[in-house]
Amino acid sequence: MPRLTDTPLSVLDLAPIRQGGTAADSFRESVDLAKLTERLGFTRYWLAEHHGIDGIASAATAVLIGHIAGATSRLRVGSGGVMLPNHPPLIVAEQFGTLEALYPGRIDLGLGRAPGADAATMAALRRDPYAGAEDFPERLTELQGFLGEPQPGQRVRAIPGQGTEVPLWLLGSSGYSAQLAAREGLPFAFAAQFAPRYLHEALRLYRENFRPSAMLKRPYAMVGLPVIAAESDARADYLASTTRQKFLNLIRGAPTRSLPPVETLDWTPVERTQVEQFLGAAVIGGPETVRHGLETFLERTGADELMLATDVFAEADRLASYAIVAEAWQA
């Protein structure tokens, strides 16, 4: 059974923009968090592709990955993820081949198939609204070809990119990507930070169907989950109201910039249930509560790695949360 002290911890950053803040503030705070978590011994720092969402600044994901990698020296920095149907595989290979050339041995390429945008933004991206599940395996194969060693007669090459073998991960919130990752022998990352309902079924499908590959001999599952740690359970629960407000506004179709914490929320019973479903995997509390919560989560899932997403309003509280988790992890 995996133990917390033996389990790699990583960071998922959506580069949140707070009420009254700017994207530049978000990027500065991402660098601060990356530097701190590198000192604390975290393994990866991933950024997610979203478009047209007021409150998330990580749209140009490859650019931001380079910014974070340049400000750190050891962390693996990558995408959690790049939405492959939004981009020609050649362009993704060139971008991540460039990153690998700049920061060798430190770049991860996590791939998703969701749009990361609404219908109007998808149209602006020139994304086929029906693309995704149907042609995702073919796009993945094409991308693998551009990152692998060139083949005889290969006319189109990714330069840089060809031969870099940038590690690929498949991301998902259902069983589809779990089964594809298993078939391809790739590591799998499940997005329990917003879709915990399908976690256990996806992990089962991945592990039971896994086929060893040149990249990976046995299944490797990383799970993302919301974690908010503070000096006490009460303080952590108060800080978590920022996250709850964000999901509540998402349900209502309202702007999702980070809002200051509040003592009480004005929500209906149905809305409260919906928000709690989004946060079904969340670990929120003081040091002992968080330690116990993470250990219990590991026991239930057998995850090989945990990727923590901490969404609170103030930068100081976000930094403190990761420091508290690290202390529990290293104890």
Side-chain angles (χ1 to χ4, degrees):
M1 192 65 63
R3 299 187 308 161
L4 181 58
T5 54
D6 300 327
T7 303
L9 297 185
S10 295
V11 179
L12 177 63
D13 182 8
L14 300 184
I17 306 174
R18 72 167 60 87
Q19 183 183 65
T22 65
D25 295 332
S26 174
F27 299 150
R28 175 183 56 78
E29 292 173 9
S30 290
V31 168
D32 291 343
L33 180 60
K35 288 181 175 180
L36 172 68
T37 50
E38 180 170 71
R39 291 197 302 271
L40 293 173
F42 283 64
T43 298
R44 301 173 213 281
Y45 196 103
W46 280 9
L47 299 129
E49 177 185 348
H50 292 276
H51 298 280
I53 299 178
D54 183 42
I56 297 179
S58 52
T61 315
V63 176
L64 195 49
I65 288 170
H67 182 58
I68 297 298
T72 54
S73 60
R74 181 196 57 80
L75 276 175
R76 295 196 65 90
V77 188
S79 57
V82 160
M83 301 298 109
L84 186 56
N86 289 345
H87 314 280
L90 176 62
I91 296 298
V92 176
E94 289 172 341
Q95 290 175 343
F96 279 79
T98 299
L99 289 167
E100 177 64 23
L102 290 168
Y103 310 104
R106 295 181 54 210
I107 301 300
D108 294 326
L109 176 47
L111 301 166
R113 63 186 180 95
D118 60 21
T121 307
M122 285 167 59
L125 288 166
R126 302 296 189 267
R127 185 190 197 276
D128 180 354
Y130 300 103
E134 292 79 6
D135 67 348
F136 187 77
E138 289 74 22
R139 286 172 174 265
L140 175 62
T141 299
E142 187 178 352
L143 177 60
Q144 289 171 316
F146 286 133
L147 292 173
E149 293 299 328
Q151 300 300 305
Q154 182 176 336
R155 296 182 59 188
V156 178
R157 298 186 182 186
I159 303 173
Q162 205 75 54
T164 56
E165 305 287 355
V166 174
L168 299 180
W169 292 67
L170 291 192
L171 282 57
S173 57
S174 68
Y176 177 89
S177 292
Q179 294 181 85
L180 182 58
R183 190 184 78 190
E184 296 293 323
L186 295 173
F188 175 58
F190 187 87
Q193 70 272 12
F194 67 84
R197 179 179 175 185
Y198 302 103
L199 169 61
H200 296 285
E201 176 65 8
L203 292 179
R204 182 190 66 79
L205 289 169
Y206 174 61
R207 289 166 177 153
E208 289 184 357
N209 295 285
F210 183 82
R211 301 176 185 175
S213 67
M215 177 182 178
L216 200 61
K217 301 305 180 188
R218 59 184 59 87
Y220 191 94
M222 177 164 62
V223 179
L225 72 161
V227 176
I228 297 175
E231 64 268 22
S232 69
D233 287 0
R235 173 69 178 171
D237 190 67
Y238 172 68
L239 296 178
S241 65
T242 292
T243 303
R244 295 183 182 113
Q245 289 179 88
K246 184 168 291 186
F247 280 117
L248 181 59
N249 284 333
L250 181 66
I251 292 166
R252 293 173 173 176
T256 56
R257 291 206 172 199
S258 294
L259 299 174
V262 293
E263 294 289 349
T264 58
L265 287 170
D266 181 17
W267 52 10
T268 68
V270 170
E271 288 174 331
R272 178 170 184 167
T273 298
Q274 291 175 310
V275 170
E276 289 174 346
Q277 287 174 344
F278 279 118
L279 295 172
V283 176
I284 300 169
E288 288 304 316
T289 299
V290 166
R291 182 185 356 241
H292 176 71
L294 292 175
E295 289 174 344
T296 301
F297 188 84
L298 279 172
E299 184 177 349
R300 286 173 32 230
T301 63
D304 298 290
E305 186 171 338
L306 298 179
M307 178 160 274
L308 315 184
T310 299
D311 185 11
V312 293
F313 184 73
E315 180 187 20
D317 290 322
R318 184 161 75 150
L319 297 176
S321 179
Y322 281 99
I324 290 169
V325 169
E327 186 175 355
W329 173 45
Q330 296 162 358

